[in-house]
Amino acid sequence: GIDAGYLIAVRQIDNRLEGRSSVEGTTNYEYAGAVFDSDTTEFRGFADVKEQLPSGLTLQHYFHQDEAGKGKEYRKDMLNQDEELLQRYDFTWLAQEEDEYQVVELTTEERTDYLPSSSASKTVRTAYDYDEYGNVIEKHYQGDVTDPDDNLYERYTYVLNVGEWILDKVSNHRLQDDATDSLNSRLSLEMFYYDDNEYNVASSIGDLTRVQQWLNTGDMIEIEYEYDDYGNIITEIDSNDHRTEYRY
């Protein structure tokens, strides 16, 4: 069995303040469906966990327990005091075997809102795409899955220095309303510069030294950063040449 001493059954919050600033309440937890893999001597977590909030709402969490997905939540339900479903989150994970390890990535996230007094519901979906290093390169927001025109795309481009293992520095972040990634569909754009280099030049340290933000007027808002020898920001200069200095 699982030692109950390692499980949180009750969590109490009390900030000791009075009146409108007071925050206090009790959250209760229930666990079910524990799995222990005797071959690998590995505990793979619980199949579901019930979380009863101070507000009276209940969150029901469901988890994968297979080798690749262990610990990954695939569903979360919110229920009211009458145990009626108010909201459901569904998470889809993709597991791919790379050499001797598993790469597990979240591919879609769906949220469905329910109206207990009727059969009405609405679902919104977000889909994720990744590069070979596990960086998110696109988030596709479907505001209403029944409306083919309700789409928004958030895209990322990275500047990589594979030799120095600097693999997560965003060089370009843009928001668009078109699947084709065209300039005409651009709603917002940010460009990032590192180590005082030119745009899209690989970083050897990883310090963000300049950010440019596009305006639909054609201008760019620019912010620059300076660092000390320890990687701390010591100066921030905005597009109006206003300086903010930091001391450590």
Side-chain angles (χ1 to χ4, degrees):
I2 304 300
D3 189 340
Y6 291 98
L7 300 178
I8 298 175
V10 178
R11 181 167 65 95
Q12 293 181 317
I13 297 176
D14 186 351
N15 65 359
R16 304 293 182 179
L17 299 178
E18 298 181 356
R20 298 178 62 181
S21 300
S22 175
V23 177
E24 59 179 302
T26 300
T27 301
N28 295 286
Y29 300 89
E30 297 177 16
Y31 305 83
V35 166
F36 181 81
D37 188 330
S38 58
D39 293 333
T40 61
T41 64
E42 178 183 42
F43 175 56
R44 292 191 175 178
F46 294 93
D48 58 87
V49 177
K50 178 183 286 188
E51 186 178 359
Q52 294 177 305
L53 305 176
S55 63
L57 296 175
T58 297
L59 296 179
Q60 188 76 45
H61 305 269
Y62 301 91
F63 299 92
H64 288 295
Q65 295 176 298
D66 59 293
E67 173 62 27
K70 55 195 173 189
K72 301 294 186 184
E73 187 172 21
Y74 67 86
R75 173 168 290 173
K76 179 173 68 175
D77 289 341
M78 177 186 290
L79 302 96
N80 63 16
Q81 294 177 339
D82 297 322
E83 296 292 308
E84 296 174 310
L85 185 61
L86 300 177
Q87 194 174 77
R88 168 168 288 173
Y89 285 87
D90 286 301
F91 307 96
T92 303
W93 301 87
L94 176 64
Q96 302 180 80
E97 190 166 344
E98 300 284 348
D99 296 327
E100 297 182 359
Y101 60 91
Q102 295 274 358
V103 175
V104 184
E105 296 172 336
L106 178 65
T107 57
T108 60
E109 177 181 339
E110 287 189 353
R111 190 195 77 220
T112 303
D113 296 314
Y114 298 90
L115 191 61
S117 60
S118 73
S119 59
S121 65
K122 180 180 179 180
T123 300
V124 298
R125 179 187 295 126
T126 303
Y128 301 88
D129 194 13
Y130 302 82
D131 67 12
E132 61 182 308
Y133 299 103
N135 298 307
V136 174
I137 57 175
E138 181 180 280
K139 298 178 184 177
H140 176 197
Y141 301 102
Q142 294 176 269
D144 183 345
V145 296
T146 64
D147 183 355
D149 296 321
D150 194 2
N151 295 285
L152 200 61
Y153 300 85
E154 189 172 8
R155 297 184 169 102
Y156 303 83
T157 303
Y158 297 83
V159 57
L160 308 174
N161 186 337
V162 178
E164 295 294 334
W165 289 92
I166 301 176
L167 306 174
D168 61 349
K169 299 303 178 182
V170 177
S171 62
N172 186 297
H173 171 227
R174 56 208 181 275
L175 196 63
Q176 297 168 290
D177 58 7
D178 192 315
T180 62
D181 200 8
S182 66
L183 290 176
N184 293 333
S185 69
R186 183 170 60 188
L187 302 175
S188 70
L189 170 67
E190 292 181 296
M191 300 169 64
F192 302 90
Y193 301 72
Y194 299 91
D195 302 343
D196 291 318
N197 291 328
E198 295 299 317
Y199 176 68
N200 213 31
V201 174
S203 167
S204 59
I205 299 175
D207 288 340
L208 178 65
T209 48
R210 181 156 53 122
V211 178
Q212 289 182 322
Q213 298 173 324
W214 171 80
L215 295 177
N216 59 5
T217 60
D219 298 322
M220 298 287 278
I221 296 175
E222 186 168 301
I223 302 173
E224 295 183 352
Y225 301 95
E226 298 174 357
Y227 296 79
D228 64 15
D229 293 337
Y230 302 99
N232 300 307
I233 294 176
I234 56 174
T235 306
E236 178 181 326
I237 307 170
D238 67 18
S239 56
N240 292 318
D241 206 30
H242 295 150
R243 300 172 65 90
T244 302
E245 296 185 351
Y246 302 88
R247 295 182 180 179
Y248 300 87

